[in-house]
Amino acid sequence: MRILRAIFGHGSGRIGGCIVAVYLLLAILGLLGLTPHNPITQYRIDRLHAPSAAYWMGTDLFGRDVASRLMAGIGQSFTVAFFSVAFATLAGTVLGLAAAWLGRRWDGVVMRIMDVLLAFPAILLALLIVTVAGPGTWTSVIAIGIVYTPIFTRVVRGPALSLKAREFVDAARTFGSSSSYIVTRHLLLNLVAPLTVQVTLALAWALLTEAGLSFLGLGTQPPAASLGLMLSDSRNLMETAPWLMIFPGLAIMISILGFNLLGDALRDVLDPKTRRAPA
Amino acid sequence: MIPLLSVSGLRVGFGRDPRANEVVRGISFDLADGETLAIVGESGSGKSVTALSINRLIDFSGGRITGGSMKLKRADGSLFDLTKASEPQMTGIRGAEIGMIFQEPMTSLNPVLTIGAQIEESFRLHRGLTGRQATSAAKDALDRVRIPDAARRLKYTPNQLSGGMLQRVMIAIALACNPRLLIADEPTTALDVTVQAQIMALLGELKRETGMSVIFITHDIGLVAGIADKVMVMQNGQAVEQGELNQLLDRPGHPYTRHLLRDVPHFANGRATRADGKRDENAGMNPALKVDGLVVRFPLKSNVFSRATGAVHAVDGIDFDLMPGETLAIVGESGSGKSTTAKAVLGLVRSTRGSFSIETNSAARSARPVQMVFQNPYASLNPRLTIESILAEPVIATGGRVDAGTKAAMASLLERVGLPANSLQRYPHEFSGGQRQRLCIARALMLNPSVVVLDEAVSALDVSVQAKVLELLVDLQREFGLAYLFISHDMAVVERIAHRIAVIYAGQIVEIGKAASVLSQPRHSYTKKLIAAVPTIDRRRERFELDTRQMPSLVRPQGFEPAPARWEAFGEDHMVRVEG
């Protein structure tokens, strides 16, 4: 509650929070099928209809309602983004904590593997994994998850190393606390703040990567809707039906803006050094 | 005669509304040429803020001068009000007319530049010297602060020099342009006692040479006696008392000054040691802790693949025993191996050789008979856990369950260490430093230990809080029959709590015995030097001798074994290692 209130009191946090909340609502409606029209039904007579009262954002080449497809697409993109970031957070936290706590050889091996993964550009690595495993929603989730795991590993390992050297960890050792107790209570609990910030920012990247994969035809498969897929479909109709490109493009841009603003606000709110004194 | 600096009614505030948030509330003093003013106070008293206001560095820390005036007599004799100075004007005054040295020499210097470059900067900025001229001026500056082999040291980076050397470099930089006023903000707090004595001696000599005025800020009223002409005592942003050194020390007028002089630990050459807990009363009992031939070495490798080429002999053969209800203080400088000894006893550092035997409390068997209280109460409590979880941890760690009985034990322990009973649901940041240290003590006692290792346990606390925590420790010791292994560099504190003292130097005990005997009649040359370096109220304006000897390197070649120690006994319970 305190954090929510602090975010609301933070200028960019308020904007970011509102954007993300609206998107979440749209995504849930889209996933539940509560859209103005069925996103897959093709209204053949109304092909390439410009935005109007009936079709708020117009229709596409097959006469499908763009607004409905957009909602379904946001639902699809958010699902992929959430699950892939959840995967990356879990894997990265476990690997980072293991590297920091076990140290020595473990640290070396884990971090070198992460360095290799980081050496590839995100989209290239995701493409590679999807090409090998075959396209689909869940392969996108795994691919994007693997791509962002090294970032979480690094975000966890650094602070974990410095926490490990803190006196309260030494104190825990003097009463013989188990490793699992020290790792969870003394390390992980103190990592919640940096992880929260990282999750928010990673969601934005994951959305973008998902859109990229779908655009290239390796993510969500038609006829299901996804933001990247919609952009890809609009390519040849850019001049005749610009709404096909404008609305998904804006949707991607604004969502990423929202997550970044929220992430910045969280960073300020959760970091005690920048936390403002109550006025 | 016009004073060099005349401060009247100075007020400094912080935050968006500086007038509502004043930290310094109406300070006035005059400082004549060549005079030394000591500002004494505890943390939060506003002493550092006062100092930083004089050269207006406070502007960069979010402070604002809300009232008063500070008239500085400039070199040409004109008066200049520092409160109204613009930033460009201050840049010309800082360094050239007002020099400053800080508490932490290690962080005040840029780690990637050589000290030569950093000293030259001052000459380049204020005197326009360049190239070879600047270098030779820098060398002279190092000579002046008595750094041996100055020409070579110019090329060193800060990590290659010890803390005491770095503080000398800071002094050299501060004095580069012959300022007529030097502000020293706790310049020796981060240093060892013997190094502190050297820095104080150096400041005294430089003052005589240059005739500059000094504002010396400290929390240690004992240190003041050695250097000050006038003393100002600050509390809560106000000067509660100011006056001539002798008058203030001998006839303190304000209750707070009297408190600082009487209730706070001051070193008294072994006259203030504890009278209880004589060793012979415990005759026939088993020691609570017996350490036999403890050796801790850290192998030195040039890289991962090569064999060890030598070892750091951090602890090199230490023996002692500790009776129940007794305090053994281990004193020594940083790097002498005293903390490593403590960590080895607790198993935090693996000992290379040697044995411990630990006698558990017969009444209540404890799973972990040795517990520790750490130096920094801010770092030794996890900020994300409630006090209840913190106190429960030792119980959980030893396989216990947190039930009603445990909670009752927590509450009574909290009360015993002097904390409110409703503390259990609160977080560490809601407590002050002294309270946190009480929490750490309570946590250490949760497991019913027989030995408590106190590693500089009161060093991070303010002097009057120190006195109270020491009292608590003595009470707890009597009540629970605890044996304390008290690691400290602060002789005044050691004198209050120790029954016996072991002086450790370069990883070895050089002198061990009854506290009164060791402190009043030190026999080993190192102990003598250590005790002579402790500032006391009694020794006023005494000249310290400059001594630049440093501790020998602890790095030894592979397989090196120290010569066996020969001991000489002096009276009852006082052993000294034979030198040479």
Side-chain angles (χ1 to χ4, degrees):
Chain A
M1 261 342 277
R2 189 180 54 78
I3 291 173
L4 274 183
R5 207 174 303 136
I7 288 174
F8 207 71
H10 189 278
S12 65
R14 197 177 316 165
I15 303 171
C18 287
I19 294 175
V20 170
V22 167
Y23 268 85
L24 277 178
L25 187 72
L26 289 176
I28 291 167
L29 290 177
L31 286 173
L32 292 176
L34 299 171
T35 49
H37 301 272
N38 186 325
I40 304 177
T41 309
Q42 305 183 352
Y43 303 93
R44 296 286 166 95
I45 338 156
D46 293 328
R47 284 170 44 165
L48 292 179
H49 210 287
S52 65
Y55 306 107
W56 303 337
M57 294 179 183
T59 59
D60 67 3
L61 189 62
F62 304 103
R64 294 175 298 195
D65 178 32
V66 172
S68 304
R69 284 186 71 73
L70 201 65
M71 283 169 74
I74 289 171
Q76 168 70 16
S77 300
F78 269 53
T79 311
V80 173
F82 276 116
F83 280 104
S84 56
V85 170
F87 175 92
T89 311
L90 203 68
T93 307
V94 169
L95 286 172
L97 282 175
W101 185 250
L102 300 172
R104 293 158 163 276
R105 224 162 287 164
W106 283 98
D107 190 24
V109 170
V110 170
M111 293 321 288
R112 289 307 77 75
I113 293 174
M114 295 301 133
D115 284 347
V116 170
L117 289 180
L118 267 182
F120 292 99
I123 188 78
L124 193 69
L125 186 59
L127 274 177
L128 191 76
I129 297 168
V130 174
T131 324
V132 171
T137 306
W138 294 106
T139 34
S140 318
V141 167
I142 301 294
I144 298 170
I146 291 175
V147 167
Y148 290 114
T149 298
I151 293 173
F152 281 93
T153 311
R154 288 200 159 181
V155 163
V156 166
R157 176 183 169 265
L161 273 181
S162 86
L163 286 167
K164 188 185 164 189
R166 294 278 286 277
E167 279 184 354
F168 55 78
V169 172
D170 270 349
R173 288 205 179 110
T174 65
F175 8 91
S177 286
S178 61
S179 292
S180 63
Y181 188 93
I182 297 179
V183 168
T184 51
R185 292 320 265 315
H186 293 315
L187 302 191
L188 194 55
L189 207 55
N190 280 297
L191 289 169
V192 170
L195 272 177
T196 314
V197 174
Q198 199 59 38
V199 163
T200 322
L201 297 176
L203 278 173
W205 308 329
L207 271 177
L208 207 57
T209 313
E210 197 277 336
L213 280 180
S214 300
F215 184 84
L216 296 170
L218 291 167
T220 308
Q221 296 301 306
S226 126
L227 297 176
L229 204 55
M230 291 172 77
L231 271 186
S232 156
D233 289 344
S234 73
R235 250 177 327 166
N236 299 324
L237 301 160
M238 224 182 274
E239 283 167 29
T240 45
W243 59 87
L244 287 183
M245 184 198 65
I246 289 171
F247 291 112
L250 275 179
I252 293 175
M253 196 190 86
I254 295 171
S255 68
I256 285 164
L257 181 73
F259 277 115
N260 280 329
L261 289 176
L262 186 63
D264 283 352
L266 273 174
R267 190 196 311 260
D268 290 352
V269 168
L270 293 175
D271 183 359
K273 278 185 210 116
T274 56
R275 194 179 293 163
R276 283 182 214 146
Chain B
M1 205 175 116
I2 308 164
L4 174 71
L5 178 70
S6 170
V7 173
S8 79
L10 178 70
R11 307 180 82 85
V12 186
F14 280 86
R16 263 180 237 163
D17 184 8
R19 270 174 216 288
N21 260 325
E22 283 185 340
V23 177
V24 172
R25 296 175 294 170
I27 294 283
S28 305
F29 62 85
D30 285 339
L31 184 67
D33 288 292
E35 216 175 24
T36 301
L37 169 75
I39 304 182
V40 185
E42 294 182 71
S43 53
S45 63
K47 57 187 194 304
S48 287
V49 173
T50 307
L52 290 172
S53 303
I54 294 169
N55 58 8
R56 295 287 296 278
L57 281 177
I58 201 72
D59 299 6
F60 300 99
S61 336
R64 185 135 301 147
I65 294 170
T66 50
S69 69
M70 298 188 288
K71 295 212 166 54
L72 177 76
K73 186 173 70 180
R74 300 199 65 164
D76 55 12
S78 65
L79 279 183
F80 182 75
D81 191 347
L82 294 171
T83 55
K84 298 193 176 67
S86 65
E87 185 46 36
Q89 281 174 315
M90 281 318 296
T91 312
I93 286 175
R94 279 183 215 125
E97 299 198 40
I98 303 177
M100 177 141 192
I101 48 178
F102 298 91
Q103 181 172 359
E104 276 288 345
M106 288 81 167
T107 54
S108 305
L109 287 165
N110 184 338
V112 296
L113 292 178
T114 62
I115 59 165
Q118 298 184 58
I119 301 173
E120 282 172 33
E121 185 185 340
S122 195
F123 288 108
R124 250 182 282 129
L125 285 177
H126 291 291
R127 292 222 216 125
L129 298 184
T130 47
R132 198 163 294 163
Q133 275 179 309
T135 311
S136 86
K139 185 189 159 293
D140 291 344
L142 279 193
D143 279 335
R144 191 165 161 198
V145 292
R146 279 74 168 173
I147 290 183
D149 205 2
R152 200 160 52 88
R153 292 261 158 80
L154 283 177
K155 297 194 188 73
Y156 281 23
T157 47
N159 64 312
Q160 292 169 292
L161 293 168
S162 67
M165 282 292 179
L166 290 179
Q167 195 57 291
R168 288 182 201 206
V169 172
M170 288 305 297
I171 296 175
I173 293 174
L175 297 186
C177 300
N178 294 319
R180 286 169 309 125
L181 172 60
L182 178 71
I183 302 173
D185 187 2
E186 304 248 14
T188 60
T189 310
L191 306 174
D192 277 318
V193 208
T194 50
V195 182
Q196 164 171 292
Q198 291 166 22
I199 295 290
M200 295 304 288
L202 177 67
L203 279 177
E205 273 187 33
L206 290 172
K207 216 181 70 139
R208 276 191 293 279
E209 277 172 24
T210 59
M212 64 182 173
S213 306
V214 178
I215 295 180
F216 191 88
I217 289 151
T218 180
H219 65 279
D220 184 356
I221 206 165
L223 202 54
V224 161
I227 190 162
D229 300 304
K230 292 201 297 193
V231 183
M232 176 162 86
V233 179
M234 280 186 76
Q235 188 187 22
N236 295 331
Q238 282 169 324
V240 294
E241 182 164 7
Q242 52 180 312
E244 296 293 321
L245 176 77
N246 287 334
Q247 183 209 333
L248 192 126
L249 291 185
D250 296 332
R251 291 180 297 282
H254 192 275
Y256 182 67
T257 317
R258 284 202 289 272
H259 163 75
L260 282 185
L261 284 168
R262 296 210 188 117
D263 305 341
V264 152
H266 290 293
F267 187 61
N269 284 85
R271 277 177 276 121
T273 48
R274 286 168 68 176
D276 64 332
K278 292 258 162 34
R279 265 225 131 175
D280 38 325
E281 288 170 14
N282 294 334
M285 280 174 86
N286 283 331
L289 170 69
K290 190 169 167 55
V291 174
D292 217 2
L294 174 69
V295 174
V296 181
R297 288 176 192 168
F298 301 105
L300 272 186
K301 292 179 182 180
S302 48
N303 65 57
V304 213
F305 301 107
S306 62
R307 289 245 204 107
T309 50
V312 178
H313 288 215
V315 176
D316 223 357
I318 278 189
D319 321 87
F320 60 82
D321 52 6
L322 181 60
M323 289 298 187
E326 185 180 71
T327 307
L328 173 69
I330 298 188
V331 298
E333 288 173 70
S334 50
S336 61
K338 54 189 197 311
S339 284
T340 313
T341 306
K343 287 187 171 160
V345 169
L346 281 150
L348 292 177
V349 169
R350 193 174 300 170
S351 54
T352 315
R353 222 176 26 230
S355 67
F356 319 105
S357 57
I358 299 159
E359 194 78 9
T360 49
N361 257 343
S362 48
R365 291 248 142 175
S366 170
R368 291 263 161 181
V370 185
Q371 284 301 314
M372 182 158 179
V373 175
F374 291 83
Q375 172 171 14
N376 188 346
Y378 294 89
S380 51
L381 298 171
N382 185 343
R384 299 257 165 195
L385 293 180
T386 60
I387 304 310
E388 184 173 335
S389 315
I390 286 172
L391 291 181
E393 185 177 351
V395 178
I396 295 169
T398 48
R401 292 252 311 277
V402 182
D403 48 24
T406 322
K407 290 204 175 156
M410 287 178 191
S412 75
L413 257 181
L414 278 185
E415 198 189 336
R416 187 63 199 82
V417 298
L419 288 174
N422 63 0
S423 309
L424 281 177
Q425 294 312 321
R426 290 157 73 188
Y427 285 89
H429 68 87
E430 298 173 54
F431 296 89
S432 69
Q435 286 178 318
R436 286 184 204 206
Q437 205 57 307
R438 287 165 193 264
L439 277 172
C440 293
I441 294 169
R443 177 174 63 177
L445 294 182
M446 280 303 288
L447 288 180
N448 221 338
S450 44
V451 178
V452 180
V453 177
L454 301 149
D455 187 3
E456 303 271 5
V458 297
S459 307
L461 306 175
D462 265 327
V463 277
S464 49
V465 180
Q466 237 177 27
K468 297 216 179 75
V469 173
L470 282 178
E471 263 171 45
L472 172 70
L473 285 172
V474 170
D475 289 348
L476 291 172
Q477 181 168 48
R478 290 207 190 107
E479 194 174 324
F480 299 108
L482 299 168
Y484 288 154
L485 190 60
F486 192 91
I487 317 265
S488 182
H489 70 278
D490 186 340
M491 301 302 261
V493 166
V494 163
E495 188 176 18
R496 296 298 143 116
I497 194 159
H499 297 111
R500 300 181 79 227
I501 293 178
V503 181
I504 184 168
Y505 179 66
Q508 296 175 320
I509 291 180
V510 295
E511 186 158 1
I512 184 168
K514 214 160 59 180
S517 176
V518 172
L519 292 178
S520 61
Q521 291 157 318
R523 304 284 181 169
H524 193 273
S525 65
Y526 175 71
T527 319
K528 285 181 186 161
K529 183 178 141 191
L530 194 64
I531 287 175
V534 181
T536 62
I537 312 179
D538 308 332
R539 304 213 316 247
R540 289 187 198 162
R541 313 299 311 276
E542 196 174 289
R543 280 194 182 199
F544 291 103
E545 286 300 312
L546 265 179
D547 177 4
T548 48
R549 257 194 310 169
Q550 293 200 343
M551 195 159 67
S553 163
L554 297 175
V555 179
R556 308 281 190 193
Q558 185 77 338
F560 175 88
E561 288 301 328
R566 286 181 297 127
W567 294 90
E568 204 175 333
F570 286 94
E572 165 206 5
D573 189 20
H574 187 168
M575 304 278 282
V576 179
R577 181 182 279 260
V578 178
E579 292 173 68

